[in-house]
């Protein structure tokens, strides 16, 4: 079996600051002491090379999962093992979570899951990964090991599958979405033609995936600084059908202001079809969370954004719902008069607090019952109509006057 560096290109890199973090160094030392030959792999290596922030740290090792557990236990490192059956042990620190995975090779795949066997062959592990830029190993002393040309691809912004694009996709059809996500975040220039053709041909395989997996990957794509070029390629390749994207969705997305680029949910709303049937099918297919669904439904209800109505809408529906609706209307080019002012008002909205409660009415002698809520609601409407200006005494007087009628 090969060791890391055999039959591969090697390069010497600097020791990056995150590699010196106490938690990271402790895991590497524990695995090394057990003969695990640990190497960093995947996103942390790729992003370090590209000068990007490091979020997740993954370590590959020749140790079997039980041996990894023993090594971490001996070093008094806490861990959890939800991924034990797939070869992953997760070391847990207050400041960092580090995944340690045994080298693997695929035995069988069904387009969603892979049956794996453990190996001590680093090249085998590299060849089962999705993209060349994710198949880079980095030792603790800065030796980069590259079996697939991933270093050059990462620097050039080439998103290229390891080996056959068709084979990699048919192992897990989610890699279609990952290809477009990586294009959005890392790609430069024209996409790899083999990869794009394989995505187009295998697009029907997206139907085999769970809605949760589809949604998670798609929202991560929408977090890219500019997802539009990748989305247009997805549209051409027939890969947008699970997401309820409307005929003008991509154009509406381009109309959102730059300040919203970190809001993947709002970007999804811009893409979503105006046809309730298509949008509803996407909700069902993607298994969107209740929170996201409520936000989308609230924004799509539509609001009057002109004149005094905006104050009432902000109070009753919340600033975010009104802002979402206004931004989507503005981006779509179909806006009511004063939408710009509505956006500014929503962004600076400081919600007033209705100054009386049901208990105030009970304390004033009103009998408990449904009439309490009705009187309170009528008084709140009166308060809103007067732009929230009446104070507690005026609101209480108005409520008591209603009781006496």
């Amino acid at each position: 079996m090969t060791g890391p560096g055999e039959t591969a290109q090697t390069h010497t890199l600097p020791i990056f600051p995150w590699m010196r973090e106490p938690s990271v160094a402790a895991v590497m030392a524990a695995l090394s002491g057990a003969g695990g030959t640990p190497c960093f792999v995947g996103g942390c290596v790729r992003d370090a090379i590209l000068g990007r922030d490091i979020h997740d740290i993954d370590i590959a090792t020749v140790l079997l999962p039980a041996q990894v557990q023993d090594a971490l236990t001996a070093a008094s490192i806490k861990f959890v093992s939800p991924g034990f059956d797939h070869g992953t042990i997760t070391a847990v620190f207050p400041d960092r979570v580090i995944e340690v995975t045994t080298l693997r090779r695929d035995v069988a795949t069904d387009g969603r899951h892979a049956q794996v066997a453990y190996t001590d062959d680093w090249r085998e592990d590299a060849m089962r990964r999705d993209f060349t830029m994710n198949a880079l190993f980095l030792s603790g002393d800065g030796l980069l090991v590259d079996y697939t040309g991933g270093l050059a691809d990462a620097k050039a912004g080439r998103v290229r599958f390891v080996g056959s694009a068709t084979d990699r996709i048919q192992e897990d059809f989610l890699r279609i979405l990952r290809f477009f996500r990586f294009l959005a975040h890392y790609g430069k220039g024209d996409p790899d033609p083999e990869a794009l053709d394989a995505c187009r041909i295998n697009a029907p395989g997206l139907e085999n995936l769970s809605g949760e997996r589809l949604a998670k990957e798609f929202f991560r794509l929408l977090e890219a600084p500019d997802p539009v070029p990748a989305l247009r390629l997805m549209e051409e390749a027939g890969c947008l059908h699970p997401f309820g994207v409307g005929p003008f969705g991509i154009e509406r997305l381009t109309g959102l202001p730059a300040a919203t680029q970190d809001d993947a949910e709002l970007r999804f709303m811009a893409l979503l079809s105006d046809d309730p049937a298509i949008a509803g099918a996407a909700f069902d297919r993607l298994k969107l969370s209740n929170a996201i669904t409520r936000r989308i439904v609230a924004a799509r209800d539509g609001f009057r954004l002109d004149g005094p109505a905006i104050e009432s809408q902000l109070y009753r529906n919340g600033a975010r719902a009104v802002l979402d609706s206004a931004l989507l209307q503005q981006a779509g080019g179909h806006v009511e008069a004063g939408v710009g002012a509505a956006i500014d008002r929503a962004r600076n909205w400081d919600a007033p607090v209705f100054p009386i409660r049901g208990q105030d009415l009970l304390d004033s002698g009103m009998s408990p019952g449904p009439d309490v809520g009705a009187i309170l609601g009528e008084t709140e409407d009166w308060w809103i109509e007067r732009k929230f200006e009446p104070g507690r005494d005026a609101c209480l007087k108005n409520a008591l006057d209603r009781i006496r009628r």
Side-chain angles (χ1 to χ4, degrees):
M1 295 290 187
T2 59
E6 297 178 29
T7 71
Q9 298 179 6
T10 59
H11 308 268
T12 301
L13 300 184
I15 306 300
F16 297 103
W18 56 269
M19 297 166 66
R20 295 194 179 97
E21 291 179 10
S23 55
V24 178
V27 173
M28 291 291 281
L31 299 174
S32 295
T37 322
C39 286
F40 302 105
V41 67
C44 60
V45 181
R46 176 196 66 229
D47 289 342
I49 291 168
L50 297 176
R52 301 193 180 199
D53 293 338
I54 304 302
H55 300 288
D56 301 322
I57 293 182
D58 295 284
I59 296 174
T61 179
V62 297
L63 296 178
L64 296 175
Q67 294 174 315
V68 172
Q69 290 179 325
D70 291 342
L72 297 178
T73 298
S76 299
I77 296 173
K78 294 181 180 179
F79 62 86
V80 293
S81 306
F84 184 92
D85 291 341
H86 302 287
T88 299
I89 307 299
T90 304
V92 180
F93 296 87
D95 62 336
R96 180 73 78 177
V97 172
I98 302 170
E99 291 197 342
V100 181
T101 302
T102 304
L103 298 183
R104 299 174 292 181
R105 59 182 175 84
D106 289 338
V107 175
T109 58
D110 62 4
R112 291 180 298 174
H113 309 290
Q115 179 183 346
V116 299
Y118 302 127
T119 180
D120 59 1
D121 189 324
W122 292 81
R123 187 178 187 280
E124 279 191 316
D125 187 89
M127 297 307 295
R128 70 174 297 276
R129 295 180 180 270
D130 51 7
F131 307 118
T132 59
M133 64 175 64
N134 291 339
L136 299 168
F137 299 105
L138 179 63
S139 70
D141 58 4
L143 179 68
L144 182 79
V145 182
D146 182 3
Y147 291 97
T148 66
L151 176 62
D153 285 344
K155 290 182 175 180
R158 286 190 297 267
V159 183
R160 189 167 60 88
F161 283 100
V162 173
S164 163
T166 296
D167 289 348
R168 297 291 81 75
I169 287 173
Q170 291 183 354
E171 290 165 355
D172 184 353
F173 289 110
L174 190 69
R175 286 173 172 171
I176 293 174
L177 295 187
R178 285 179 60 81
F179 173 72
F180 292 109
R181 172 165 72 86
F182 272 72
L183 277 182
H185 284 273
Y186 298 98
K188 299 176 185 177
D190 294 333
D192 179 65
E194 179 196 355
L196 196 57
D197 285 345
C199 290
R200 181 181 297 108
I201 293 168
N202 289 281
L206 294 173
E207 297 298 332
N208 298 326
L209 303 176
S210 71
E212 292 86 350
R213 294 185 77 202
L214 287 171
K216 181 179 180 180
E217 196 66 36
F218 192 61
F219 275 76
R220 293 181 73 182
L221 186 159
L222 294 179
E223 293 170 356
D226 181 13
V228 170
L231 289 168
R232 293 196 189 281
L233 288 171
M234 287 183 70
E235 185 177 44
E236 294 169 9
C239 298
L240 279 179
H241 58 276
F243 305 104
V245 175
F248 306 106
I250 294 179
E251 284 68 27
R252 184 160 51 199
L253 174 58
T254 64
L256 289 177
T260 65
Q261 69 179 27
D262 293 331
D263 192 341
E265 292 179 9
L266 182 64
R267 285 179 162 182
F268 178 73
M269 285 189 273
L271 291 170
L272 198 59
S273 174
D274 294 328
D275 185 327
I278 296 175
F283 289 168
D284 293 340
R285 178 71 179 91
L286 299 177
K287 309 297 183 186
L288 297 175
S289 71
N290 290 337
I292 295 176
T293 300
R294 284 194 297 269
R295 182 181 179 187
I296 294 172
V297 170
R300 289 165 67 90
D301 278 347
F303 300 101
R304 288 190 59 196
L305 302 175
D306 58 324
I310 186 62
E311 299 287 338
S312 174
Q313 298 285 13
L314 284 166
Y315 177 76
R316 293 188 183 281
N317 298 284
R320 187 169 76 167
V322 174
L323 179 60
D324 286 345
S325 182
L327 289 170
L328 292 171
Q329 289 184 50
Q330 184 183 66
H334 303 288
V335 298
E336 300 176 13
V339 66
I343 290 172
D344 290 340
R345 189 74 182 95
R347 284 177 171 157
N348 296 288
W349 176 246
D350 186 9
V353 178
F354 185 45
I356 63 173
R357 295 288 181 268
Q359 187 61 47
D360 294 315
L361 303 187
L362 296 177
D363 293 343
S364 298
M366 188 175 184
S367 300
D371 288 346
V372 174
I375 293 295
L376 201 65
E378 292 172 5
T379 301
E380 187 175 26
D381 290 341
W382 172 84
W383 175 69
I384 292 170
E385 290 172 0
R386 285 152 183 76
K387 299 181 179 181
F388 322 107
E389 292 177 359
R392 184 179 186 280
D393 291 344
C395 287
L396 187 57
K397 179 179 183 305
N398 181 273
L400 295 176
D401 288 344
R402 293 174 187 276
I403 295 171
R404 299 188 187 104
R405 290 174 190 171

